Amino acid sequence: MSDPSNLRIAGISAAVTLAVSGLITLGFASDIFGSAVPQSAASDGQSAPQSTNGAKTKEAEQPQSESSSSEAATPPSTEEQPAPPQADRQKDQPIPAPDVDCEVARCVALTFDDGPDKNVTPKVLDTLKKTSTPATFFQVGREFAGNEALVKRALADGHVLGTHTWTHPQLPLLNPDELNEELANTIAASEQISGTRPTLMRPPYGLFNDAVIDKTIELGNSVIMWDVDTEDWKNKNPQETAKRALEGAHRGAIILMHDVHPSTAEALPTIIAELRKNGYSLVTIPQLLGNPTPGTVYYSGTLDQ
Ligand code: NI
């Protein structure tokens, strides 16, 4: 299925793209050198990216697949399957992908960084399950040990797993070997635990440069930023976290949260209920973006506000 953001990608020239990308990178670079950057894995202590561009790419030409026919590929069921008891269905079945077309519907993607966390991630998963809300997790490799069951559960529940490096470093400061280890090792470890290879990467602190983009192309990953920052890592206040999520929400929004803060888990039921009340469909990043392209940087699913 084609996607409005992908269509826009095709129209962005390489020169403009690189210029914008460079400006953004420089902006973040001044943050690196001009002020202290939190070192904690639990702190994405950068302000949200200010760009409202839906997506950018190094490559001027992005092939557009017109594969809308794939939607009709599911053959009709010819056999009646007996329905299991409701309780069993809820416990064992993954959260169904919402039957929405994000080119039409008001889709929003909830994203959670820095986990898995043995205390908070289960609470977040419980709420998502209870409310049939699919989400996207950007997980840190060094947190996998001892939390393998949470990684598997997130995938089994119907969520999408992305990566967020192994040790949460500032990627532009790394040499090529270090960069490769941070990205490739985390992708490999996630795949080893879950059985599914992640194709989405979120750079810590939102920091990336051309070397990072080149590496994600090599690894078949796209770069997923955000355009709504709940600042949950800073406020650690469920009311404030929810307020920022709801006030920032718009069609195509990618909302940044962290499943390592109890306050975020506490805010989540309100965020989900209010977004739905306001007419939003909650979807995963792949649902929001159509089919994310490796090496492309996405800030949201649409230019619409
Ligand atoms: Ni982070």
Coordinates of all heavy atoms in Angstrom, one line a residue, residues 98-195:
P98 N -5.4 -3.0 14.2 CA -6.6 -2.2 13.9 C -6.9 -2.2 12.4 O -6.0 -2.1 11.6 CB -6.3 -0.8 14.4 CG -5.2 -1.0 15.4 CD -4.4 -2.2 14.9
D99 N -8.2 -2.4 12.1 CA -8.6 -2.4 10.7 C -8.8 -1.0 10.3 O -10.0 -0.5 10.1 CB -9.9 -3.3 10.6 CG -10.3 -3.4 9.2 OD1 -9.5 -3.2 8.3 OD2 -11.5 -3.7 8.9
V100 N -7.8 -0.3 10.1 CA -7.9 1.1 9.7 C -6.9 1.4 8.5 O -5.9 0.8 8.4 CB -7.5 2.1 10.8 CG1 -8.6 2.0 11.9 CG2 -6.1 1.9 11.4
D101 N -7.2 2.4 7.7 CA -6.3 2.9 6.7 C -5.8 4.2 7.1 O -6.6 5.2 7.2 CB -7.1 3.0 5.4 CG -6.2 3.5 4.2 OD1 -5.1 3.9 4.5 OD2 -6.7 3.5 3.1
C102 N -4.6 4.3 7.5 CA -4.0 5.5 8.0 C -3.9 6.6 7.0 O -3.5 7.8 7.4 CB -2.7 5.3 8.7 SG -2.8 4.2 10.2
E103 N -4.2 6.3 5.7 CA -4.3 7.4 4.8 C -5.6 8.2 4.9 O -5.7 9.3 4.4 CB -4.1 6.8 3.3 CG -2.8 6.3 3.0 CD -2.6 6.0 1.5 OE1 -3.1 6.7 0.7 OE2 -2.1 4.9 1.2
V104 N -6.5 7.5 5.6 CA -7.8 8.1 5.8 C -8.1 8.4 7.3 O -8.5 9.5 7.7 CB -8.9 7.2 5.3 CG1 -10.3 7.8 5.5 CG2 -8.7 6.9 3.8
A105 N -7.8 7.4 8.1 CA -8.1 7.5 9.5 C -7.1 8.5 10.3 O -6.0 8.8 9.7 CB -8.0 6.1 10.2
R106 N -7.5 8.9 11.5 CA -6.6 9.7 12.3 C -5.8 8.8 13.1 O -6.1 8.5 14.3 CB -7.5 10.6 13.1 CG -8.4 11.6 12.4 CD -9.2 12.4 13.3 NE -8.5 13.5 13.9 CZ -8.8 14.1 15.0 NH1 -9.9 13.7 15.7 NH2 -8.1 15.1 15.5
C107 N -4.7 8.3 12.6 CA -3.8 7.4 13.2 C -2.8 8.1 14.1 O -2.2 9.1 13.7 CB -3.1 6.4 12.2 SG -4.2 5.3 11.4
V108 N -2.5 7.4 15.2 CA -1.4 7.9 16.1 C -0.7 6.6 16.6 O -1.3 5.6 16.8 CB -2.0 8.6 17.3 CG1 -1.0 8.7 18.5 CG2 -2.5 10.0 16.9
A109 N 0.7 6.7 16.7 CA 1.5 5.6 17.1 C 2.1 5.9 18.5 O 2.7 7.0 18.7 CB 2.6 5.3 16.1
L110 N 1.8 5.1 19.5 CA 2.4 5.2 20.8 C 3.8 4.4 20.7 O 3.8 3.3 20.3 CB 1.6 4.6 21.9 CG 0.2 5.2 22.0 CD1 -0.6 4.5 23.2 CD2 0.2 6.7 22.3
T111 N 4.8 5.0 21.2 CA 6.2 4.4 21.2 C 6.8 4.4 22.6 O 6.6 5.4 23.3 CB 7.1 5.0 20.1 OG1 7.4 6.3 20.5 CG2 6.5 5.0 18.7
F112 N 7.5 3.4 22.9 CA 8.1 3.3 24.2 C 9.6 2.9 24.1 O 9.9 1.9 23.5 CB 7.4 2.2 25.1 CG 5.9 2.5 25.3 CD1 5.0 2.0 24.4 CD2 5.5 3.2 26.4 CE1 3.6 2.3 24.7 CE2 4.2 3.5 26.6 CZ 3.2 3.0 25.8
D113 N 10.4 3.7 24.7 CA 11.9 3.5 24.6 C 12.5 3.0 25.9 O 11.9 3.2 27.0 CB 12.6 4.9 24.3 CG 12.3 5.4 22.9 OD1 11.5 4.8 22.2 OD2 13.0 6.4 22.5
D114 N 13.7 2.5 25.8 CA 14.6 2.3 26.9 C 14.4 1.0 27.7 O 15.2 0.6 28.5 CB 14.7 3.4 27.9 CG 15.3 4.7 27.3 OD1 15.7 4.6 26.1 OD2 15.4 5.7 28.0
G115 N 13.3 0.3 27.4 CA 13.0 -1.0 28.1 C 13.8 -2.1 27.4 O 14.6 -1.8 26.5
P116 N 13.6 -3.3 27.7 CA 12.5 -3.8 28.7 C 13.0 -3.5 30.1 O 14.1 -3.7 30.4 CB 12.4 -5.3 28.4 CG 13.7 -5.7 27.8 CD 14.2 -4.5 27.1
D117 N 12.0 -3.2 30.9 CA 12.2 -2.9 32.4 C 11.4 -3.9 33.2 O 10.1 -4.0 32.9 CB 11.8 -1.5 32.7 CG 12.0 -1.2 34.2 OD1 11.1 -1.4 34.9 OD2 13.1 -0.7 34.5
K118 N 12.0 -4.6 34.1 CA 11.2 -5.7 34.8 C 10.1 -5.2 35.6 O 9.1 -5.9 35.8 CB 12.2 -6.5 35.6 CG 12.8 -5.8 36.8 CD 13.7 -6.7 37.6 CE 14.6 -6.1 38.6 NZ 14.0 -5.1 39.5
N119 N 10.1 -3.9 36.0 CA 9.0 -3.4 36.8 C 7.9 -2.7 36.0 O 6.7 -2.9 36.2 CB 9.5 -2.4 37.9 CG 10.4 -3.1 38.9 OD1 10.1 -4.2 39.3 ND2 11.6 -2.5 39.2
V120 N 8.3 -1.8 35.1 CA 7.4 -1.0 34.4 C 6.8 -1.6 33.1 O 5.6 -1.5 32.8 CB 8.0 0.4 34.0 CG1 7.0 1.3 33.3 CG2 8.5 1.1 35.3
T121 N 7.7 -2.3 32.3 CA 7.2 -2.9 31.1 C 6.0 -3.8 31.3 O 5.0 -3.7 30.5 CB 8.4 -3.6 30.4 OG1 9.4 -2.7 30.2 CG2 7.9 -4.1 29.0
P122 N 6.0 -4.7 32.3 CA 4.8 -5.5 32.5 C 3.5 -4.7 32.7 O 2.4 -5.1 32.2 CB 5.1 -6.3 33.7 CG 6.6 -6.4 33.8 CD 7.0 -5.0 33.3
K123 N 3.6 -3.6 33.4 CA 2.4 -2.7 33.6 C 1.9 -2.1 32.3 O 0.7 -2.0 32.0 CB 2.7 -1.6 34.6 CG 3.0 -2.1 36.0 CD 3.1 -0.9 37.0 CE 3.3 -1.4 38.4 NZ 4.7 -1.9 38.7
V124 N 2.9 -1.7 31.5 CA 2.6 -1.1 30.2 C 1.9 -2.1 29.3 O 0.9 -1.9 28.7 CB 3.8 -0.5 29.5 CG1 3.6 -0.1 28.1 CG2 4.3 0.8 30.3
L125 N 2.5 -3.3 29.3 CA 1.9 -4.4 28.5 C 0.5 -4.8 28.9 O -0.3 -5.1 28.1 CB 2.9 -5.6 28.5 CG 4.2 -5.5 27.7 CD1 5.1 -6.7 28.0 CD2 3.9 -5.3 26.2
D126 N 0.3 -4.8 30.2 CA -1.0 -5.1 30.8 C -2.0 -4.1 30.3 O -3.1 -4.5 29.9 CB -1.0 -5.1 32.3 CG -0.3 -6.4 32.9 OD1 0.0 -7.3 32.1 OD2 0.0 -6.4 34.1
T127 N -1.7 -2.8 30.4 CA -2.6 -1.8 29.9 C -2.9 -1.9 28.4 O -4.1 -1.8 28.0 CB -2.1 -0.4 30.3 OG1 -2.0 -0.3 31.7 CG2 -3.0 0.7 29.8
L128 N -1.9 -2.1 27.7 CA -2.0 -2.2 26.2 C -2.9 -3.4 25.9 O -3.8 -3.3 25.0 CB -0.7 -2.3 25.5 CG 0.2 -1.1 25.6 CD1 1.6 -1.4 25.1 CD2 -0.4 0.1 24.9
K129 N -2.7 -4.5 26.6 CA -3.5 -5.7 26.4 C -5.0 -5.5 26.7 O -5.9 -5.8 26.0 CB -2.9 -6.9 27.2 CG -3.6 -8.2 27.0 CD -3.1 -8.9 25.7 CE -3.5 -10.3 25.7 NZ -3.1 -11.0 24.4
K130 N -5.2 -4.9 27.9 CA -6.5 -4.7 28.4 C -7.3 -3.7 27.5 O -8.5 -3.9 27.4 CB -6.4 -4.0 29.8 CG -7.7 -4.0 30.6 CD -7.3 -3.5 32.0 CE -8.6 -3.2 32.8 NZ -8.2 -2.6 34.1
T131 N -6.6 -2.8 26.8 CA -7.3 -1.8 26.0 C -7.2 -2.2 24.5 O -7.5 -1.4 23.6 CB -6.7 -0.4 26.2 OG1 -5.3 -0.5 26.0 CG2 -7.0 0.0 27.7
S132 N -6.6 -3.4 24.2 CA -6.4 -3.8 22.8 C -5.7 -2.7 22.0 O -6.1 -2.3 20.9 CB -7.7 -4.1 22.1 OG -8.1 -5.4 22.3
T133 N -4.6 -2.2 22.5 CA -3.8 -1.1 21.9 C -2.4 -1.7 21.4 O -1.6 -2.0 22.3 CB -3.6 0.0 22.9 OG1 -4.8 0.4 23.4 CG2 -2.9 1.2 22.2
P134 N -2.2 -1.7 20.1 CA -0.9 -2.1 19.7 C 0.1 -0.9 19.8 O -0.3 0.2 19.6 CB -1.1 -2.5 18.2 CG -2.3 -1.7 17.8 CD -3.1 -1.4 19.0
A135 N 1.3 -1.2 20.1 CA 2.3 -0.1 20.2 C 3.7 -0.6 19.7 O 3.8 -1.7 19.2 CB 2.5 0.2 21.7
T136 N 4.7 0.3 19.7 CA 6.0 0.0 19.2 C 7.0 0.2 20.3 O 7.0 1.3 20.9 CB 6.3 0.8 18.0 OG1 5.2 0.6 17.0 CG2 7.6 0.4 17.3
F137 N 7.9 -0.7 20.5 CA 8.9 -0.6 21.6 C 10.3 -0.5 21.0 O 10.6 -1.3 20.1 CB 8.8 -1.9 22.5 CG 7.6 -1.9 23.3 CD1 6.4 -2.4 22.8 CD2 7.6 -1.5 24.7 CE1 5.2 -2.5 23.6 CE2 6.5 -1.5 25.4 CZ 5.3 -2.0 24.9
F138 N 11.1 0.4 21.4 CA 12.5 0.6 21.0 C 13.3 0.2 22.2 O 13.5 0.9 23.1 CB 12.7 2.0 20.5 CG 12.0 2.3 19.2 CD1 10.8 3.0 19.3 CD2 12.5 1.9 18.0 CE1 10.0 3.3 18.2 CE2 11.7 2.2 16.8 CZ 10.5 2.9 16.9
Q139 N 13.9 -1.1 22.1 CA 14.5 -1.6 23.3 C 16.0 -1.5 23.2 O 16.6 -1.6 22.2 CB 14.0 -3.1 23.4 CG 12.5 -3.2 23.5 CD 12.0 -4.6 23.7 OE1 12.5 -5.5 23.0 NE2 11.1 -4.8 24.6
V140 N 16.6 -1.5 24.4 CA 18.0 -1.3 24.6 C 18.6 -2.7 24.9 O 18.2 -3.4 25.8 CB 18.3 -0.4 25.8 CG1 19.8 -0.3 26.1 CG2 17.8 1.0 25.5
G141 N 19.6 -3.1 24.1 CA 20.2 -4.4 24.2 C 20.7 -4.8 25.5 O 20.5 -6.0 25.9
R142 N 21.3 -3.9 26.3 CA 21.9 -4.3 27.6 C 20.8 -4.6 28.6 O 21.1 -5.2 29.7 CB 22.8 -3.2 28.1 CG 22.1 -1.9 28.5 CD 23.0 -0.9 29.1 NE 22.4 0.3 29.3 CZ 23.0 1.5 29.5 NH1 24.3 1.5 29.5 NH2 22.3 2.6 29.7
E143 N 19.5 -4.3 28.3 CA 18.4 -4.6 29.2 C 17.8 -6.0 28.9 O 16.9 -6.4 29.6 CB 17.3 -3.5 29.1 CG 17.8 -2.1 29.3 CD 18.4 -1.9 30.7 OE1 18.0 -2.7 31.7 OE2 19.2 -1.0 30.9
F144 N 18.3 -6.6 27.8 CA 17.6 -7.9 27.5 C 17.9 -9.0 28.5 O 16.9 -9.8 28.8 CB 18.2 -8.4 26.1 CG 17.7 -7.6 24.9 CD1 18.4 -7.7 23.7 CD2 16.5 -6.9 25.0 CE1 17.9 -7.0 22.6 CE2 16.0 -6.2 23.9 CZ 16.7 -6.3 22.7
A145 N 19.1 -9.1 29.0 CA 19.4 -10.2 30.0 C 18.5 -10.2 31.2 O 18.4 -9.2 31.9 CB 20.9 -10.0 30.4
G146 N 17.8 -11.3 31.4 CA 16.9 -11.4 32.5 C 15.5 -11.0 32.1 O 14.6 -11.2 32.9
N147 N 15.4 -10.2 31.0 CA 14.0 -9.7 30.6 C 13.6 -10.4 29.3 O 12.7 -9.8 28.6 CB 14.1 -8.2 30.5 CG 14.2 -7.5 31.8 OD1 13.6 -7.9 32.8 ND2 15.0 -6.5 31.8
E148 N 14.2 -11.5 29.0 CA 13.8 -12.1 27.7 C 12.3 -12.4 27.6 O 11.7 -12.3 26.5 CB 14.6 -13.4 27.5 CG 16.1 -13.3 27.3 CD 16.9 -13.2 28.6 OE1 16.2 -13.1 29.7 OE2 18.1 -13.2 28.6
A149 N 11.7 -12.8 28.7 CA 10.3 -13.1 28.7 C 9.4 -11.9 28.3 O 8.4 -12.0 27.6 CB 9.8 -13.7 30.0
L150 N 9.9 -10.7 28.7 CA 9.2 -9.5 28.4 C 9.3 -9.2 26.9 O 8.4 -8.6 26.3 CB 9.7 -8.3 29.2 CG 9.3 -8.3 30.7 CD1 10.0 -7.2 31.4 CD2 7.8 -8.2 30.8
V151 N 10.5 -9.4 26.3 CA 10.7 -9.2 24.9 C 9.7 -10.1 24.1 O 9.0 -9.7 23.2 CB 12.2 -9.5 24.5 CG1 12.4 -9.4 23.0 CG2 13.1 -8.6 25.3
K152 N 9.7 -11.4 24.5 CA 8.9 -12.3 23.8 C 7.4 -12.0 24.0 O 6.6 -12.1 23.1 CB 9.1 -13.8 24.3 CG 10.5 -14.3 23.9 CD 10.7 -15.7 24.6 CE 12.0 -16.2 24.3 NZ 12.4 -17.4 25.2
R153 N 7.0 -11.6 25.2 CA 5.6 -11.2 25.5 C 5.2 -10.1 24.6 O 4.1 -10.1 24.1 CB 5.4 -10.9 27.0 CG 4.0 -10.6 27.2 CD 3.7 -10.1 28.6 NE 2.4 -9.5 28.7 CZ 1.9 -8.8 29.7 NH1 2.6 -8.7 30.8 NH2 0.7 -8.2 29.6
A154 N 6.0 -9.0 24.5 CA 5.6 -7.9 23.7 C 5.3 -8.3 22.3 O 4.3 -7.8 21.7 CB 6.7 -6.8 23.8
L155 N 6.1 -9.1 21.7 CA 5.9 -9.5 20.4 C 4.7 -10.4 20.3 O 3.8 -10.3 19.4 CB 7.1 -10.3 19.8 CG 7.2 -10.4 18.3 CD1 7.5 -9.1 17.7 CD2 8.2 -11.4 17.9
A156 N 4.6 -11.3 21.2 CA 3.4 -12.3 21.2 C 2.1 -11.5 21.4 O 1.0 -11.9 20.9 CB 3.6 -13.3 22.3
D157 N 2.2 -10.4 22.1 CA 1.0 -9.6 22.4 C 0.5 -8.8 21.1 O -0.5 -8.2 21.1 CB 1.2 -8.6 23.5 CG 1.0 -9.3 24.9 OD1 0.7 -10.5 24.9 OD2 1.2 -8.6 25.9
G158 N 1.4 -8.8 20.1 CA 1.0 -8.1 18.9 C 1.7 -6.8 18.7 O 1.3 -6.0 17.8
H159 N 2.7 -6.4 19.5 CA 3.4 -5.2 19.4 C 4.6 -5.4 18.4 O 4.9 -6.5 18.0 CB 3.9 -4.7 20.7 CG 2.8 -4.6 21.8 ND1 1.7 -3.8 21.6 CD2 2.6 -5.3 22.9 CE1 0.9 -3.9 22.6 NE2 1.4 -4.8 23.4
V160 N 5.1 -4.2 18.0 CA 6.3 -4.2 17.1 C 7.5 -3.9 17.9 O 7.5 -2.9 18.7 CB 6.1 -3.3 15.9 CG1 7.4 -3.1 15.1 CG2 4.9 -3.7 15.1
L161 N 8.6 -4.7 17.7 CA 9.9 -4.4 18.4 C 10.9 -3.7 17.5 O 11.2 -4.2 16.4 CB 10.5 -5.7 18.9 CG 9.6 -6.5 19.9 CD1 10.4 -7.7 20.4 CD2 9.2 -5.7 21.1
G162 N 11.3 -2.6 17.9 CA 12.5 -1.9 17.3 C 13.6 -1.9 18.2 O 13.5 -2.4 19.4
T163 N 14.8 -1.4 17.8 CA 15.9 -1.3 18.7 C 16.3 0.1 19.0 O 16.0 1.1 18.3 CB 17.1 -2.0 18.0 OG1 17.4 -1.4 16.8 CG2 16.8 -3.5 17.8
H164 N 17.1 0.2 20.0 CA 17.5 1.6 20.6 C 18.9 1.5 21.0 O 19.3 2.1 22.0 CB 16.5 1.9 21.7 CG 16.5 3.3 22.2 ND1 16.4 4.4 21.4 CD2 16.5 3.8 23.5 CE1 16.4 5.5 22.1 NE2 16.5 5.2 23.4
T165 N 19.7 0.7 20.3 CA 21.2 0.5 20.5 C 21.4 -0.5 21.7 O 20.4 -0.9 22.4 CB 22.0 1.8 20.8 OG1 21.7 2.3 22.1 CG2 21.7 2.8 19.7
W166 N 22.6 -0.8 22.0 CA 23.0 -1.7 23.1 C 23.2 -0.9 24.4 O 22.7 -1.4 25.4 CB 24.2 -2.5 22.7 CG 24.4 -3.6 23.7 CD1 25.1 -3.6 24.8 CD2 23.8 -4.9 23.5 NE1 25.0 -4.9 25.4 CE2 24.2 -5.7 24.7 CE3 23.0 -5.5 22.6 CZ2 23.8 -7.0 24.9 CZ3 22.6 -6.9 22.8 CH2 23.0 -7.6 23.9
T167 N 23.9 0.2 24.3 CA 24.2 0.9 25.6 C 23.7 2.3 25.6 O 24.1 3.1 26.5 CB 25.8 0.9 25.8 OG1 26.4 1.7 24.8 CG2 26.4 -0.5 25.7
H168 N 22.9 2.7 24.7 CA 22.3 4.0 24.7 C 23.3 5.2 24.5 O 23.3 6.2 25.3 CB 21.4 4.2 26.0 CG 20.3 5.2 25.8 ND1 20.5 6.6 25.9 CD2 19.0 5.0 25.5 CE1 19.3 7.2 25.7 NE2 18.4 6.3 25.4
P169 N 24.3 5.0 23.6 CA 25.3 6.1 23.5 C 24.8 7.2 22.5 O 23.7 7.1 21.9 CB 26.4 5.3 22.8 CG 25.7 4.4 21.9 CD 24.4 4.0 22.6
Q170 N 25.6 8.2 22.4 CA 25.4 9.2 21.3 C 26.0 8.7 20.0 O 27.2 8.7 19.9 CB 26.0 10.6 21.7 CG 25.4 11.1 23.0 CD 26.2 12.3 23.6 OE1 26.8 13.0 22.9 NE2 26.1 12.4 24.9
L171 N 25.2 8.2 19.1 CA 25.7 7.5 18.0 C 26.7 8.3 17.1 O 27.7 7.7 16.6 CB 24.6 7.0 17.1 CG 23.7 5.9 17.8 CD1 22.6 5.5 16.8 CD2 24.6 4.6 18.1
P172 N 26.5 9.6 16.9 CA 27.5 10.3 16.0 C 28.9 10.4 16.6 O 29.8 10.7 15.9 CB 26.9 11.7 16.0 CG 25.4 11.5 16.2 CD 25.3 10.4 17.2
L173 N 29.1 10.1 17.9 CA 30.4 10.1 18.5 C 31.2 8.8 18.3 O 32.3 8.7 18.7 CB 30.3 10.5 20.0 CG 29.6 11.8 20.3 CD1 29.6 12.0 21.8 CD2 30.2 12.9 19.6
L174 N 30.6 7.8 17.8 CA 31.2 6.5 17.8 C 32.0 6.3 16.5 O 31.7 6.9 15.4 CB 30.1 5.4 17.8 CG 29.2 5.4 19.0 CD1 28.3 4.2 19.0 CD2 29.9 5.5 20.3
N175 N 33.0 5.4 16.6 CA 33.8 5.0 15.4 C 33.0 3.9 14.7 O 32.0 3.4 15.3 CB 35.2 4.6 15.8 CG 35.3 3.3 16.6 OD1 34.5 2.4 16.3 ND2 36.2 3.2 17.5
P176 N 33.4 3.6 13.5 CA 32.6 2.6 12.7 C 32.4 1.3 13.4 O 31.3 0.7 13.3 CB 33.4 2.5 11.4 CG 34.1 3.8 11.3 CD 34.5 4.2 12.7
D177 N 33.4 0.8 14.1 CA 33.3 -0.5 14.7 C 32.3 -0.4 15.9 O 31.4 -1.3 16.1 CB 34.6 -1.0 15.3 CG 35.5 -1.5 14.2 OD1 35.0 -1.7 13.1 OD2 36.7 -1.6 14.4
E178 N 32.4 0.7 16.6 CA 31.5 0.8 17.8 C 30.0 1.0 17.3 O 29.1 0.5 17.9 CB 31.9 2.1 18.6 CG 33.2 1.9 19.3 CD 33.7 3.3 19.9 OE1 33.3 4.3 19.3 OE2 34.5 3.2 20.8
L179 N 29.9 1.8 16.2 CA 28.5 2.0 15.6 C 27.9 0.7 15.2 O 26.7 0.4 15.5 CB 28.6 3.0 14.5 CG 27.3 3.3 13.7 CD1 26.3 3.9 14.7 CD2 27.6 4.2 12.6
N180 N 28.7 -0.1 14.5 CA 28.2 -1.4 14.1 C 27.8 -2.3 15.3 O 26.8 -2.9 15.2 CB 29.3 -2.1 13.3 CG 28.8 -3.5 12.7 OD1 27.9 -3.5 11.9 ND2 29.4 -4.6 13.2
E181 N 28.6 -2.3 16.3 CA 28.3 -3.1 17.5 C 27.0 -2.7 18.1 O 26.1 -3.5 18.5 CB 29.4 -3.1 18.5 CG 30.6 -3.9 18.1 CD 31.8 -3.8 19.1 OE1 31.5 -3.3 20.2 OE2 32.9 -4.2 18.8
E182 N 26.9 -1.4 18.3 CA 25.7 -0.8 18.9 C 24.4 -1.2 18.2 O 23.4 -1.5 18.8 CB 25.7 0.7 19.1 CG 26.7 1.2 20.1 CD 26.2 0.9 21.5 OE1 25.0 0.7 21.7 OE2 27.0 0.9 22.5
L183 N 24.4 -1.1 16.9 CA 23.2 -1.3 16.1 C 23.1 -2.8 15.7 O 22.0 -3.4 16.0 CB 23.3 -0.5 14.8 CG 23.3 1.0 15.0 CD1 23.1 1.8 13.7 CD2 22.3 1.5 16.0
A184 N 24.1 -3.4 15.1 CA 23.9 -4.8 14.6 C 23.8 -5.8 15.8 O 22.9 -6.7 15.7 CB 25.2 -5.2 13.8
N185 N 24.5 -5.6 16.9 CA 24.4 -6.6 18.0 C 23.0 -6.5 18.6 O 22.5 -7.6 19.0 CB 25.5 -6.3 19.0 CG 26.8 -6.7 18.6 OD1 27.0 -7.2 17.4 ND2 27.8 -6.4 19.4
T186 N 22.4 -5.3 18.7 CA 21.1 -5.2 19.3 C 20.1 -5.8 18.4 O 19.2 -6.5 18.9 CB 20.8 -3.7 19.6 OG1 21.9 -3.1 20.3 CG2 19.6 -3.6 20.5
I187 N 20.2 -5.6 17.1 CA 19.2 -6.2 16.2 C 19.3 -7.7 16.3 O 18.3 -8.5 16.4 CB 19.5 -5.7 14.8 CG1 19.1 -4.2 14.7 CG2 18.7 -6.5 13.7 CD1 19.6 -3.6 13.4
A188 N 20.6 -8.2 16.3 CA 20.8 -9.7 16.3 C 20.3 -10.3 17.6 O 19.6 -11.4 17.6 CB 22.3 -10.0 16.1
A189 N 20.5 -9.6 18.7 CA 20.0 -10.2 20.0 C 18.5 -10.2 20.1 O 17.9 -11.1 20.6 CB 20.6 -9.3 21.2
S190 N 17.9 -9.1 19.6 CA 16.4 -9.0 19.6 C 15.9 -10.2 18.8 O 14.9 -10.9 19.2 CB 16.0 -7.7 19.1 OG 14.6 -7.6 19.1
E191 N 16.5 -10.4 17.6 CA 16.0 -11.5 16.7 C 16.2 -12.8 17.4 O 15.3 -13.7 17.3 CB 16.8 -11.4 15.4 CG 16.3 -12.5 14.4 CD 17.0 -12.4 13.1 OE1 18.0 -11.8 13.0 OE2 16.5 -13.0 12.1
Q192 N 17.3 -13.0 18.1 CA 17.6 -14.3 18.7 C 16.6 -14.6 19.8 O 16.1 -15.7 19.9 CB 19.0 -14.3 19.3 CG 19.5 -15.6 19.8 CD 20.9 -15.6 20.3 OE1 21.4 -14.5 20.6 NE2 21.5 -16.8 20.3
I193 N 16.2 -13.6 20.5 CA 15.2 -13.8 21.6 C 13.8 -13.9 21.1 O 13.0 -14.8 21.5 CB 15.2 -12.6 22.6 CG1 16.6 -12.5 23.3 CG2 14.1 -12.7 23.6 CD1 16.8 -11.2 24.0
S194 N 13.4 -13.0 20.2 CA 12.0 -13.0 19.7 C 11.7 -13.8 18.5 O 10.6 -14.2 18.2 CB 11.6 -11.5 19.5 OG 12.2 -11.1 18.3
G195 N 12.8 -14.1 17.7 CA 12.5 -14.8 16.5 C 12.2 -13.9 15.3 O 11.9 -14.4 14.2

